């Protein structure tokens, strides 16, 4: 690296690599560079791709050999639709302008190379897509396939190798009929036959065999793909909120010693992130309403995928002055605060 006027210039860097630079200035400057290859390795876990980073997006291989078939459809990474942020990966018939697909018979591939040890892993991702029942859908798999075996196909049903691959879809047999965003979290095992291979891939296989669908139908979209070692302590569950005098206490069930929590109001884009020791986080004076919580387990140096709680309500229950409900005017409001008044033209509760 050459230094010029307080700036470091790197003269020799390889293409299709992600370089992360940390700078720390006190009485000296510390410079560190971490080089990551195109494949996801054990050192990259936990892995989360929200498709907002252009350098990371370049590591995804989209539509291999698609020009050899007749179709307007393509996998793209664009901003026509997203669950969080601005971008996702989706099938488009117009180069990414819309997340709709044309009525052509095709099998399209999007994949990311992985090189992982044999063992159990967890995957999670958000998805949306209508498709057409069994004729338009996506399957998500791990497969050991050489480059020669990774091609988009025209006039074809689902390739046989997809059905024999490691499925990453949880209880879903295929991803279809999802007009709203949904979340998948599943545990999978990478067998020895696929472990530490340079030809093992994480694949999104989009199949459409129905040429009668309307061209404006919503296609598949993927966002926030996560991959991590299987958590030995399970996952957070049964989230609960209690609010009193502006203090909201959020608890959940789980066996990990520590957690990382991200949350946002449903009407906001940005998340707030904080580390948590134990199964409780306390928030002060947050706006009432519907929130979304993402919680991951921290087990030593390992982190799990985030378990998503898509709708968590934070609110404070009103109390009513039951002793005075006989009157035409009585107070109500949060416990311990000045109440609001209900007024009527007559008594509220006549009683027996």
């Amino acid at each position: 690296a050459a230094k010029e006027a307080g700036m470091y210039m790197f003269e020799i860097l390889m293409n299709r690599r992600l370089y992360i630079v940390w700078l720390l200035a006190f009485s000296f400057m510390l410079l560190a560079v971490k080089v990551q290859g195109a494949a996801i390795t054990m050192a990259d876990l936990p892995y989360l791709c929200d498709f907002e980073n252009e350098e990371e997006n370049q590591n995804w291989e989209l539509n291999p050999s698609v020009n050899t078939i007749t179709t307007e459809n393509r996998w793209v990474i664009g901003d026509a639709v997203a669950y969080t942020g601005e971008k996702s990966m989706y099938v488009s018939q117009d180069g990414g302008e819309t997340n709709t697909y044309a009525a052509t018979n095709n099998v399209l591939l999007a994949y990311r190379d992985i090189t992982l040890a044999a063992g159990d892993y967890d995957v999670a991702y958000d998805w949306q897509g209508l498709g057409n029942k069994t004729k338009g859908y996506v399957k998500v798999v791990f497969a050991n396939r050489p480059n020669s075996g990774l091609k988009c196909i025209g006039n074809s049903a689902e390739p046989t190798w997809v059905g024999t691959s490691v499925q990453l879809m949880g209880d879903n047999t295929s991803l279809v009929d999802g007009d709203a965003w949904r979340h998948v979290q599943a545990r999978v095992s990478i067998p020895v036959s696929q472990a530490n291979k340079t030809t093992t891939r994480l694949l999104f296989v989009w199949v459409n065999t129905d040429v009668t669908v309307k061209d404006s139908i919503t296609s598949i979209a993927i966002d926030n793909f996560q991959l991590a070692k299987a958590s030995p302590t399970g996952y957070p569950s049964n989230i609960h909120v209690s609010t009193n005098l502006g203090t909201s206490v959020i608890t959940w069930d789980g066996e990990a010693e520590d957690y990382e929590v991200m949350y946002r109001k449903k009407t906001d884009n940005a998340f707030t992130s904080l580390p948590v020791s134990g199964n409780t986080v306390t928030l002060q004076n947050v706006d009432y309403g519907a929130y979304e919580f993402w919680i991951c387990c921290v087990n030593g140096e390992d982190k799990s995928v985030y378990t998503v709680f898509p709708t968590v309500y934070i609110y404070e229950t009103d109390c009513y002055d039951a002793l005075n409900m006989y009157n035409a005017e009585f107070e109500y409001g949060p416990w311990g605060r000045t109440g609001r008044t209900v007024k009527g033209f007559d008594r509220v509760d006549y009683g027996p």
Side-chain angles (χ1 to χ4, degrees):
K3 182 180 180 182
E4 180 178 334
M7 177 175 63
Y8 278 80
M9 296 184 295
F10 294 87
E11 298 176 354
I12 303 177
L13 293 177
M14 298 179 66
N15 291 332
R16 293 177 64 84
R17 297 294 187 270
L18 175 63
Y19 298 85
I20 302 175
V21 178
W22 292 275
L23 297 178
L24 180 63
F26 293 101
S27 58
F28 60 93
M29 178 171 286
L30 173 66
L31 181 66
V33 177
K34 178 182 179 182
V35 180
Q36 295 176 327
I40 302 172
T41 67
M42 300 296 293
D44 298 317
L45 302 184
Y47 170 80
L48 190 158
C49 181
D50 57 10
F51 300 104
E52 306 295 332
N53 185 295
E54 292 299 328
E55 292 175 297
E56 169 55 23
N57 291 346
Q58 292 178 17
N59 289 321
W60 287 84
E61 186 69 31
L62 308 180
N63 314 301
S65 302
V66 72
N67 292 329
T68 64
I69 66 175
T70 302
T71 182
E72 299 171 357
N73 300 318
R74 299 287 192 278
W75 278 106
V76 299
I77 296 175
D79 59 5
V81 63
Y83 182 66
T84 61
E86 297 181 354
K87 295 182 178 180
S88 69
M89 184 172 70
Y90 53 94
V91 171
S92 175
Q93 64 173 318
D94 48 26
E97 289 295 321
T98 65
N99 58 318
T100 62
Y101 66 93
T104 56
N105 180 194
N106 49 244
V107 177
L108 301 183
L109 305 180
Y111 69 88
R112 183 77 161 79
D113 291 336
I114 62 169
T115 305
L116 300 177
D120 293 334
Y121 297 86
D122 289 310
V123 296
Y125 50 89
D126 301 302
W127 71 276
Q128 179 193 59
L130 287 176
N132 189 21
K133 296 184 179 180
T134 60
K135 295 184 178 181
Y137 59 89
V138 160
K139 287 193 174 179
V140 190
V141 299
F142 282 141
N144 186 4
R145 302 284 296 174
N147 289 339
S148 59
L150 293 172
K151 296 180 179 180
C152 296
I153 308 171
N155 298 317
S156 175
E158 178 184 305
T160 56
W161 60 264
V162 175
T164 59
S165 302
V166 178
Q167 306 291 309
L168 282 71
M169 298 180 296
D171 295 331
N172 302 274
T173 56
S174 60
L175 304 185
V176 68
D177 289 338
D179 56 343
W181 282 98
R182 304 183 186 184
H183 185 73
V184 170
Q185 184 170 323
R187 177 161 295 185
V188 298
S189 295
I190 295 184
V192 174
S193 61
Q194 294 190 22
N196 299 315
K197 304 289 186 180
T198 58
T199 53
T200 296
R201 277 75 188 251
L202 155 68
L203 295 118
F204 291 87
V205 184
W206 188 72
V207 180
N208 182 55
T209 59
D210 189 350
V211 297
T212 65
V213 298
K214 297 179 180 180
D215 288 352
S216 61
I217 195 167
T218 302
S219 65
I220 190 71
I222 304 293
D223 206 355
N224 301 313
F225 182 85
Q226 303 178 64
L227 173 63
K229 296 178 184 178
S231 173
T233 56
Y235 304 97
S237 62
N238 299 323
I239 195 167
H240 176 74
V241 180
S242 176
T243 300
N244 184 35
L245 298 179
T247 298
S248 299
V249 179
I250 297 91
T251 60
W252 57 89
D253 295 339
E255 298 181 3
E257 292 184 3
D258 300 300
Y259 296 88
E260 284 192 1
V261 174
M262 297 196 304
Y263 69 93
R264 65 170 179 170
K265 200 170 184 180
K266 296 288 284 187
T267 54
D268 296 338
N269 290 322
F271 283 84
T272 298
S273 178
L274 64 161
V276 177
S277 180
N279 299 43
T280 301
V281 61
T282 300
L283 306 179
Q284 297 289 346
N285 299 317
V286 297
D287 293 338
Y288 294 161
Y291 283 75
E292 178 174 350
F293 277 78
W294 293 28
I295 304 177
C296 84
C297 302
V298 180
N299 302 300
E301 297 182 355
D302 295 331
K303 295 180 182 179
S304 70
V305 298
Y306 284 92
T307 296
V308 176
F309 300 93
T311 306
V312 177
Y313 292 101
I314 296 180
Y315 62 93
E316 193 163 3
T317 303
D318 285 332
C319 298
Y320 292 85
D321 185 4
L323 296 178
N324 291 313
M325 288 185 71
Y326 178 80
N327 299 323
E329 179 179 320
F330 68 94
E331 290 186 332
Y332 75 100
W335 180 261
R337 299 188 196 178
T338 301
R340 296 182 289 273
T341 301
V342 172
K343 294 182 179 181
F345 295 103
D346 208 341
R347 295 179 297 182
V348 176
D349 182 7
Y350 289 93

